[in-house]
Amino acid sequence: MKRVFTIVCLLGFSTWTYAQSILLDPSQNQVINATRNLPELNLYSTGFVPFAGIKFFDDATFKTGIFYNGFYDGIGFTNDANNPGVFWQNTLKRLGVNTFEPRGGIHIKANSLAEEPQLLIHQTNDSYGRINFESNVPANGRWTLSGSINATSSLSRFNIFSSQAGANLMTFTGEGNVGVGVDNPEYPLHIKAGSSTSNSSTGSVSIGSNGSRHMNIGTYQINAFYGSNASYLSLNGISGGDVYVGNNYGNGDLIVENGARLGGVGAPAIKTKRLWGQLLNSSGSAGIVAHGVNAENILSIQAVVKDGSGNYYPASGNGVGSSTYQYRTYCDATNCYIKDAGSALTHDYFTILLVYMD
């Protein structure tokens, strides 16, 4: 008790005589006690420079300190009162690292390297390191950035999670794949399949603005729209390159629903139609089938008849066998015909291919 009283008296005397420091002799096991009613240690800066602080030494070597800086109204953990170190700015209630004037809640000012970033989050087990973004409404709503490194690059993950979706919206793997709605992307860009693209608002991927020209990719479909209306889809229209369907050797199939224009926009839309039937079982056999197109637009009529031996014969002039294998074909406004078929072709099946313009 006597020692405490002596120290308190010394503190009062030091203040009265404008002393700037108190020296405690560690060999004497000295302490500074505050009263129960006011447990504070007050430091005053009485000179021109508005600094006040506590310094820490290792033996006689100064190491670091806690300093109040009146120029910037804050307190810093640093080895020099003129150096911000880790600085708490009182007025704005912001924390700065290497800056006296933090421009955000936490402002880190430093040069970074790949191995030495400005901010490091080190997960100490096999789970994910995480950063959350939250607001008051909705309760417990959040975005989460989470990352996990694995010795196998394909198992490393960086995720963007939404609590409202209840899932990872994007996933990146250590080998360079990106998944959208897919937790285990198998391709450089792997997008979860969406609904069918029956209109401009559905599908998995939309390129462009829904209010203007855009391309929509969905399940088994690629569609072009202008707003909600159909638009054109140009493939290599500017580059003049080739378009391959099926594989890069052009051996795939191509289905054109409403006609193909060969020769540019001004060329007619060309369509084809296959008709088939059976010849009558008599000499001079005939066959008839309705074509269902505008006869004025027919450009070509090709026919073939298959006999009982599996041989295929075109119309008259084929030069194969005798006249018993000859026949002729034509179309009128309603039907297409096989006429005057030889006796060797009676009761056989025929196919007619029409080429017409739309």
Side-chain angles (χ1 to χ4, degrees), residues 53-56 62-67 75-80:
I54 300 175
K55 293 184 176 181
F56 299 91
F62 171 62
K63 292 299 183 179
T64 190
I66 303 173
F67 296 94
I75 190 169
F77 296 84
T78 177
N79 59 3
D80 185 342

Side-chain angles (χ1 to χ4, degrees), residues 198-218:
S198 59
N199 57 62
S200 61
S201 63
T202 60
S204 298
V205 179
S206 184
I207 302 174
S209 170
N210 281 345
S212 183
R213 285 192 176 94
H214 65 283
M215 183 178 70
N216 193 291
I217 303 173

Side-chain angles (χ1 to χ4, degrees), residues 87-156:
F87 186 77
W88 174 255
Q89 210 285 331
N90 287 327
T91 305
L92 299 175
K93 301 298 186 288
R94 295 174 179 174
L95 180 67
V97 178
N98 296 325
T99 177
F100 285 119
E101 300 176 289
R103 299 199 304 271
I106 298 177
H107 181 174
I108 300 174
K109 183 178 180 180
N111 294 324
S112 70
L113 299 173
E115 299 80 10
E116 297 179 8
Q118 281 97 340
L119 178 65
L120 174 63
I121 297 176
H122 191 155
Q123 180 70 21
T124 58
N125 59 21
D126 292 334
S127 184
Y128 286 78
R130 296 174 176 86
I131 299 177
N132 277 12
F133 300 86
E134 303 179 0
S135 57
N136 293 334
V137 179
N140 300 320
R142 71 185 188 279
W143 289 93
T144 299
L145 301 181
S146 61
S148 175
I149 298 297
N150 192 287
T152 302
S153 60
S154 62
L155 299 180
S156 292

Side-chain angles (χ1 to χ4, degrees), residues 197 205 207 215-225 233 235:
T197 54
V205 179
I207 302 174
M215 183 178 70
N216 193 291
I217 303 173
T219 305
Y220 306 118
Q221 297 188 40
I222 299 177
N223 291 313
F225 294 93
L233 180 64
L235 302 177

